[in-house]
Amino acid sequence: MHPPFRAHLEAPLKLLLTSGGVTNASIRSALVRLLGKPIDECRALCIPTAQWGHPMCDPTSVRGFAAAEPLWQHSSGLGWGSLGVLELTALPTIGAERYVPWIREADVLLVDGGDATYLCHWMRESGLVDLLPSLSDTVWVGVSAGSMVMTPRIGSYFVEWPSAPDDRALGVVDFSIFPHLDLFPQNTMADAERWAAGIGGPAYAIDEQTAIQVVAGTVEVISEGRWRRFGA
């Protein structure tokens, strides 16, 4: 584990930022500590919204995430006590009086990958961003874009949504994330080094066996795999 340090921004809720989900015993133990109770006693909401902004995702992949199919065993398929779907693009049309209680009642938000700029847009449009400061007991488990959305910038390398104005995200944490290290031919450490050179701030490259935990501004890397930190 990486020695903790203080981030410049205080995360409003407990964050478990991953590349591939809860893929090993170390990350699972961290998740259970954050939840404060067993996974099978927790209420989870799946947020698939980022998938709609990425060309590699489609209705079948969204269904797979929501239905906890085997490819999503490390997020929606962990054995939650209850599992629901929160589609951010729908929220502006139904009113806060309906969806805010759903969010407040959840123990964990499972935020899937896709395009982080698209997810960022709909977190703002839906009002979820405005709720974040009041969700101090909620755990945010991000996968890929679901993690990257909490960073200041994702780098043009990862922008797939054609309508994205730039590569900026929410900036809840003060570091950026290069996910899927070594998983794809274009996600080597050399690629991560080139990406980090253009980010202009601290950043991490993480593989599928690594997570970054952020609680009250304290950042800790939890890994059974390969990762690297860039910048001061």
Side-chain angles (χ1 to χ4, degrees), residues 11-221:
L13 69 172
K14 293 172 282 190
L15 306 178
L16 191 63
L17 307 177
T18 79
S19 175
V22 182
T23 53
N24 58 55
S26 298
I27 300 175
R28 188 182 181 98
S29 294
L31 173 59
V32 172
R33 287 194 300 271
L34 292 175
L35 292 168
K37 56 185 174 181
I39 289 172
D40 62 7
E41 295 179 12
C42 293
R43 295 163 294 185
L45 286 178
C46 298
I47 299 179
T49 306
Q51 288 206 34
W52 301 118
H54 198 287
M56 292 182 65
C57 302
D58 58 22
T60 301
S61 61
V62 171
R63 180 195 180 279
F65 175 49
E69 292 181 352
L71 285 177
W72 285 267
Q73 63 180 302
H74 302 305
S75 56
S76 54
L78 288 170
W80 302 99
S82 69
L83 191 66
V85 176
L86 187 73
E87 176 47 65
L88 301 187
T89 62
L91 300 189
T93 66
I94 64 174
E97 68 278 2
R98 288 194 67 196
Y99 70 77
V100 169
W102 302 339
I103 296 171
R104 295 199 185 282
E105 290 166 5
D107 297 297
V108 60
L109 302 178
L110 305 174
V111 191
D112 205 22
D115 188 276
T117 61
Y118 185 80
L119 177 58
C120 181
H121 172 80
W122 281 106
M123 285 183 66
R124 295 187 187 281
E125 289 293 309
S126 67
L128 179 56
V129 163
D130 299 325
L131 281 178
L132 294 184
S134 66
L135 300 179
S136 57
D137 294 326
T138 307
V139 179
W140 178 285
V141 178
V143 172
S144 192
S147 299
M148 298 165 76
V149 73
M150 290 298 189
T151 71
R153 296 180 58 198
I154 68 170
S156 59
Y157 190 78
F158 290 109
V159 177
E160 297 284 354
W161 181 39
S163 298
D166 50 43
D167 73 327
R168 286 178 294 178
L170 297 177
V172 172
V173 298
D174 69 348
F175 55 84
S176 295
I177 296 173
F178 182 102
H180 308 306
L181 180 65
D182 300 325
L183 184 63
F184 305 115
Q186 67 273 26
N187 283 48
T188 66
M189 187 63 80
D191 294 314
E193 290 172 354
R194 287 189 290 270
W195 165 86
I199 283 294
Y204 291 88
I206 61 174
D207 71 0
E208 305 306 281
Q209 300 298 321
T210 300
I212 304 172
Q213 175 184 288
V214 186
V215 180
T218 298
V219 179
E220 184 176 358
V221 175

